[in-house]
Amino acid sequence: MTGYIVRRLLTTIPVLLGITFIVFAMVSLAPGDAISLMLGSETANVANVERLRRELGLDLPWYEQYLRYMKGLLTGDMGRSITYKRPVVDMIRERFNNTLILAASSTLFALVISLPLGIAAAYQRRSWIDYGASTLAMLGVSLPSFYLGLLLIIVFGLNLGWLPIRGMASRSASLGTYIRHLILPSVTLGSGLAGILTRLTRSSVLEALSQDYVRTARAKGVGERKVLYKHALRNALLPVTTTFGLQFGGLLGGAAIIETIFSWPGVGMLAVNAVKQRDIPLIQGTTLVFALGFVLVTLVVDILYVAIDPRIRYE
Amino acid sequence: MSRRLLLAVVATLLVSLVALPATGVMQSPQKGGILRIAATTIQQLDPYKTAANDETNVIGLVFDPLVIIGKDGFEAKPHLAESWERPDDYTWIFHLRKGVYFQEGNAVFPKGARREVTADDVVYSINRFMNVSTAFTIGEVDEVKALDRYTVQITTPVPNPFLVDDPNRLASVGIVPKEAVEKLGEDGFAMNPIGSGPFILKSFAPDQSVVLERNPDYWLPVYLDGVEFVVIPDPTVQTMALTAGEVDVVPYIFNVDAMATLSRNPRLQMLSRGGSYRGIGFNVTTPPFDEFAVRDAISKAVDIDAAFNAVVAPHGERAYGQCPPWVPHGYDPSLKEIWKYDPKEAVEILNAAGFRDTNGDGILDRNGQPLKVEIKTTPGSQIRVLTILATQLRQIGIDASVLQQDVAVWADDVINGNTGVFFDLSFAGATGLHSLFHSSVIGMTNGHYYSNPEVDSLLDQALSTTDPEAIASNWKQAQRKIMEDRAALPLYFEWAYAIVSDKVHDFVPAWGGLHLVSLENNVWLSR
């Protein structure tokens, strides 16, 4: 198992290298750059902008810029933001925990909603619970998150005034305030995942319940509760876990939009700013963080497999 | 006193007595309270490394510039400099206010170890600004030197008439203490700015909030206990937060579409100051827009008044040139006479230039090429104006469309000349005309690729004199020439608004930095 984890961690290196290359090439070849944006302002200090362009090597062909960037990266230097003139690593460090907190609470929300709902829907198939769960799941999957976000802000923030409409509570705030600030963004970000997982849990549990081993268990006189939780659910969770791992990437991507709507000071909001400003070092840095997050979660999911299904061995 | 006069006086007194309590005028300022200001993004607070309005707003409260732009009119007023003089066209002398101190109680100036702001700080600051800022320039400078502890002299190789009156020049240079930059380092200073301004930085979490508290030693009384900048990146959510009372100020509303709803809210004040020039620019080197006839015909084919009235009015003014009313020179409404809406004549001009609908598709063509106008623009309310104008162009047989681009792509296309027709935007500082049309900045801020030696010479002359009459006259002549050449088609000046809760008093919208405490205003909150 340890060998497997080490091997998996090693394979992330070429993946991350590939991502840096693809992102760098895409941003460099796409129209628009940070220097043009600076020069586009009528008040620009043209001489200083040109000097900045030379200093940062932005006048070099993009592949040379990439090599310069990679050289820095290998020595642990993620470069400086062109627009904000600060070290990228500092800017990400300030925000990383915030994104992690949002992602974790959205995941928690998705799991807390989807697992019980999916199981109940499967167990009470074609009942009102089933139909209700399916409708909710459909809504969760199909409502665009930026729309749902604004809708929740208007209803719960403005009209009812129950929850704050923006931002993260400061560090000195009480836990209650902290959680109140977390609710709307987490629900918005987690609703898509909750929808997908509800549907998947329902179908997997349904499938498991029709398997021979469940019939056998019931024939042996095992109680319904035990049949459901011990026999059916454990098998049903395997596909749910896989999907969860894959969807987590989507969750991180969605964070970019949700963080902007809810003024959540995370890496996603920073990434949106970086793209708007064509700030290549900052785009690279934020993308790398997301990629790394995705790769690590997939790894964790693969390891969880073993715990869920003892037949699986990574040797 | 005649009986009639006496009656009038009594009546006036009675009316004022009844009206006063109802309108609640003349409340006296109250001390205390935290003013909450919405911001889109705040990443760093080094006053010379920013191009973002929100960062500039914070910086304007932590640092003191030599001058600030007065609230009425757009002229420089004393701030850290008590007065200034210009012994000749190349020399400026500033006399500093005595007894102004850098903020204490920080890593650089511990409590009780405050230090007075002196001429050496001004010299250091201006030099650092000139060296560091990519967003602004104060113009060419030969030397900045301290004549004594409280006197600074700036000499320039050519006259610099806008040095104090342009909001983006000296008014943008907050004075910084050298030892803070040196002790904290460039990156450290950007996170822990120390100035001499009315508010001291208490905490700063990038993209989350900036909390400032009153500087108890400030040289003017400060009514507010503090100021909090609340980061809300989404403009829609910013106005929602204002309506919900989560913030007191949204400092910039650039989109007039939002004004319609906000102006109906009786608890909000709409404060306007300056704005932006919005027009259609031509890249005069791209065929067929390199032909005067084509540009002239386009200018005659569009009913700008109708589009302006439908979309922008009352939040702006029709423009006939690039210089807006708030720039002290160059505003010239008489340019109206050179523009005409006459679609018939437009068609005749195009016909004479060889454009005819030869294949019966309703689009004019020449040598088999249809006459195509694609207006490249950034997102914003101007899109609706441009769409109306494009529809009018189609009516006379021009294949016109509006292409909405990401700001970075638009800027790149305009700068690199990858345009024919584009949305022309300028925040219209004192030298906007030069930035947009002088040949020396082609491929930089001049996206028109317009080069006219006569215009260059007029603009150069205007920038090398300090005589306001001569500046205005040269500026207006250059502007007229540019507009007669149809290098651009001015559409309108759109007002910029700050939206402020009705409990905020004496707020003056930012112009070259936000100032809540100055010789002209002192913001306070009613409870």
Side-chain angles (χ1 to χ4, degrees):
Chain A
M1 189 69 183
T2 320
Y4 171 76
I5 293 174
V6 171
R7 271 204 309 281
R8 274 294 301 269
L9 281 174
L10 286 177
T11 54
T12 55
I13 294 170
V15 170
L16 293 178
L17 283 178
I19 287 167
T20 60
F21 181 76
I22 292 169
V23 171
F24 207 101
M26 269 175 24
V27 179
S28 302
L29 299 176
D33 75 87
I35 295 291
S36 293
L37 262 178
M38 289 181 190
L39 288 176
S41 158
E42 71 197 71
T43 60
N45 188 326
V46 175
N48 284 359
V49 173
E50 289 300 334
R51 200 187 62 212
L52 183 74
R53 191 208 295 265
R54 281 194 307 277
E55 277 172 13
L56 297 175
L58 299 173
D59 50 347
L60 300 173
W62 70 268
Y63 45 87
E64 279 185 43
Q65 289 183 44
Y66 177 69
L67 288 178
R68 263 173 81 133
Y69 175 77
M70 287 314 291
K71 229 162 138 186
L73 195 64
L74 293 177
T75 56
D77 177 11
M78 292 179 100
R80 291 180 90 86
S81 153
I82 301 171
T83 317
Y84 306 114
K85 294 157 184 103
R86 294 189 55 214
V88 169
V89 69
D90 286 359
M91 299 180 76
I92 290 177
R93 197 186 296 133
E94 285 156 9
R95 296 162 170 84
F96 183 69
N97 280 346
N98 302 344
T99 295
L100 215 57
I101 290 166
L102 181 60
S105 70
S106 306
T107 308
L108 191 70
F109 164 77
L111 291 178
V112 165
I113 294 289
S114 63
L115 291 185
L117 212 58
I119 295 167
Y123 199 69
Q124 315 234 352
R125 200 178 165 194
R126 299 217 173 102
S127 69
W128 64 269
I129 294 181
D130 187 16
Y131 294 129
S134 295
T135 312
L136 272 181
M138 193 79 96
L139 275 176
V141 175
S142 52
L143 266 182
S145 53
F146 61 88
Y147 177 73
L148 179 66
L150 286 175
L151 211 64
L152 292 177
I153 286 179
I154 291 173
V155 175
F156 293 100
L158 290 181
N159 293 352
L160 299 172
W162 291 350
L163 292 166
I165 65 174
R166 52 145 300 274
M168 204 175 153
S170 65
R171 259 169 235 160
S172 53
S174 67
L175 187 67
T177 314
Y178 206 86
I179 290 174
R180 275 163 49 81
H181 276 265
L182 252 176
I183 293 176
L184 288 185
S186 306
V187 169
T188 311
L189 187 55
S191 66
L193 184 60
I196 292 170
L197 292 185
T198 305
R199 290 174 66 91
L200 197 71
T201 310
R202 176 185 176 273
S203 60
S204 317
V205 172
L206 267 183
E207 201 193 321
L209 284 175
S210 66
Q211 294 294 318
D212 289 345
Y213 58 79
V214 169
R215 198 181 322 134
T216 313
R218 281 183 174 143
K220 283 198 304 188
V222 177
E224 265 311 290
R225 186 174 278 264
K226 210 168 173 190
V227 167
L228 182 62
Y229 289 107
K230 186 132 193 227
H231 296 265
L233 195 57
R234 194 149 179 187
N235 289 292
L237 277 184
L238 212 55
V240 174
T241 316
T242 319
T243 312
F244 170 73
L246 291 173
Q247 291 295 329
F248 190 78
L251 198 76
L252 288 175
I257 299 163
I258 299 307
E259 286 182 0
T260 304
I261 292 178
F262 285 98
S263 322
W264 192 266
V267 183
M269 195 160 121
L270 189 64
V272 171
N273 261 326
V275 173
K276 275 195 203 157
Q277 303 291 341
R278 298 293 191 275
D279 196 329
I280 295 188
L282 204 52
I283 297 177
Q284 284 282 22
T286 48
T287 315
L288 267 181
V289 168
F290 282 135
L292 193 64
F294 185 58
V295 168
L296 289 181
V297 167
T298 322
L299 178 63
V300 170
V301 165
D302 285 352
I303 295 168
L304 274 180
Y305 265 20
V306 184
I308 297 171
D309 188 346
R311 289 172 304 177
I312 297 173
R313 285 278 174 270
Y314 299 118
E315 294 308 339
Chain B
M1 200 183 278
S2 75
R3 247 180 92 162
R4 192 176 283 180
L5 188 62
L6 188 70
L7 260 177
V9 169
V10 172
T12 314
L13 276 174
L14 274 175
V15 167
S16 2
L17 275 176
V18 174
L20 257 179
T23 52
V25 258
M26 291 319 290
Q27 279 177 280
S28 55
Q30 294 171 345
K31 219 169 171 184
I34 306 280
L35 183 74
R36 298 156 306 163
I37 303 176
T40 310
T41 174
I42 300 176
Q43 308 281 359
Q44 66 89 37
L45 295 172
D46 185 323
Y48 308 156
K49 291 186 180 170
T50 184
N53 286 327
D54 295 308
E55 290 172 6
T56 309
N57 286 347
V58 182
I59 287 159
L61 305 182
V62 176
F63 296 91
D64 277 331
L66 290 181
V67 297
I68 64 176
I69 306 300
K71 64 177 177 179
D72 305 312
F74 290 88
E75 281 171 4
K77 299 280 176 183
H79 197 65
L80 206 55
E82 265 181 331
S83 64
W84 56 92
E85 67 215 51
R86 223 169 35 191
D88 60 62
D89 278 358
Y90 304 86
T91 313
W92 294 77
I93 293 176
F94 294 87
H95 302 282
L96 302 189
R97 191 173 300 283
K98 292 172 188 165
V100 178
Y101 293 87
F102 285 115
Q103 297 153 358
E104 59 174 25
N106 48 59
V108 181
F109 305 112
K111 205 113 195 113
R114 63 182 192 171
R115 180 170 79 66
E116 195 179 17
V117 180
T118 66
D120 285 338
D121 296 307
V122 177
V123 173
Y124 170 76
S125 296
I126 294 178
N127 282 323
R128 181 169 181 264
F129 178 87
M130 290 195 297
N131 200 27
V132 166
S133 179
T134 53
F136 304 108
T137 167
I138 61 169
E140 284 181 71
V141 168
D142 269 340
E143 193 189 18
V144 188
K145 97 178 166 194
L147 298 183
D148 60 42
R149 190 172 165 84
Y150 301 107
T151 314
V152 179
Q153 175 181 285
I154 301 178
T155 44
T156 59
V158 286
N160 189 341
F162 307 123
L163 185 65
V164 298
D165 285 333
D166 188 325
N168 302 313
R169 297 197 176 195
L170 267 192
S172 285
V173 186
I175 303 306
V176 305
K178 183 181 179 185
E179 54 266 61
V181 181
E182 283 174 353
K183 187 164 181 194
L184 302 170
E186 294 275 330
D187 294 335
F189 186 64
M191 300 306 288
N192 304 284
I194 299 165
S196 61
F199 295 95
I200 300 174
L201 182 81
K202 195 174 165 201
S203 72
F204 170 31
D207 265 354
Q208 189 173 355
S209 73
V210 176
V211 180
L212 307 176
E213 59 187 6
R214 177 195 295 135
N215 176 0
D217 296 330
Y218 197 57
W219 53 277
L220 284 167
V222 182
Y223 292 133
L224 296 169
D225 283 340
V227 180
E228 184 181 357
F229 286 84
V230 181
V231 174
I232 306 177
D234 189 288
T236 315
V237 182
Q238 277 197 0
T239 51
M240 283 178 178
L242 182 67
T243 316
E246 288 202 15
V247 294
D248 308 308
V249 177
V250 173
Y252 301 98
I253 302 269
F254 282 119
N255 188 348
V256 288
D257 293 344
M259 292 303 297
T261 22
L262 292 170
S263 59
R264 282 198 292 271
N265 189 332
R267 302 201 41 215
L268 300 177
Q269 317 168 56
M270 252 126 295
L271 307 174
S272 163
R273 194 186 193 198
S276 53
Y277 157 79
R278 290 161 189 241
I280 288 178
F282 295 104
N283 179 336
V284 297
T285 58
T286 307
F289 310 106
D290 55 344
E291 294 171 46
F292 171 79
V294 174
R295 303 195 299 267
D296 190 38
I298 291 174
S299 79
K300 292 188 161 70
V302 288
D303 184 359
I304 303 168
D305 283 339
F308 170 77
N309 288 327
V311 180
V312 187
H315 303 297
E317 178 188 312
R318 263 286 272 129
Y320 303 103
Q322 184 273 340
C323 280
W326 55 84
V327 167
H329 53 270
Y331 174 58
D332 188 1
S334 78
L335 282 173
K336 186 176 181 183
E337 69 202 24
I338 68 167
W339 304 105
K340 187 161 84 172
Y341 170 53
D342 190 344
K344 243 192 194 151
E345 197 188 327
V347 175
E348 284 163 18
I349 293 171
L350 289 174
N351 288 344
F355 288 98
R356 277 165 206 286
D357 181 14
T358 54
N359 54 8
D361 64 350
I363 300 294
L364 299 168
D365 53 81
R366 185 175 67 182
N367 306 329
Q369 292 291 321
L371 178 52
K372 207 172 159 188
V373 169
E374 185 182 63
I375 311 172
K376 292 186 169 177
T377 176
T378 53
S381 53
Q382 73 274 2
I383 289 198
R384 291 198 287 143
V385 174
L386 296 175
T387 307
I388 295 174
L389 302 184
T391 312
Q392 292 167 348
L393 290 177
R394 292 192 78 88
Q395 281 163 359
I396 68 153
I398 296 175
D399 181 10
S401 58
V402 177
L403 178 67
Q404 182 183 321
Q405 296 178 305
D406 185 52
V407 180
V409 180
W410 170 83
D412 205 46
D413 278 352
V414 170
I415 285 162
N416 294 317
N418 182 23
T419 55
V421 184
F422 57 92
F423 167 58
D424 209 358
L425 171 77
S426 133
F427 287 103
T431 53
L433 196 69
H434 181 279
S435 304
L436 295 188
F437 298 103
H438 196 280
S439 69
S440 66
V441 279
I442 283 180
M444 286 177 267
T445 50
N446 177 357
H448 302 89
Y449 282 65
Y450 179 73
S451 169
N452 181 337
E454 199 186 333
V455 167
D456 284 355
S457 150
L458 284 165
L459 291 173
D460 290 339
Q461 281 173 47
L463 287 173
S464 56
T465 173
T466 50
D467 171 16
E469 302 268 313
I471 295 172
S473 146
N474 283 321
W475 213 257
K476 281 181 184 168
Q477 282 181 61
Q479 180 175 226
R480 183 170 283 265
K481 188 81 201 103
I482 294 163
M483 296 305 154
E484 281 173 352
D485 275 351
R486 305 288 190 251
L489 176 54
L491 299 177
Y492 54 94
F493 302 114
E494 187 173 298
W495 309 147
Y497 287 95
I499 311 292
V500 177
S501 147
D502 63 350
K503 61 178 191 180
V504 181
H505 303 265
D506 215 7
F507 186 91
V508 178
W511 192 254
L514 178 67
H515 297 286
L516 301 178
V517 182
S518 74
L519 291 168
E520 289 202 322
N521 74 320
N522 200 337
V523 173
W524 58 280
L525 287 167
S526 52
R527 305 296 169 78

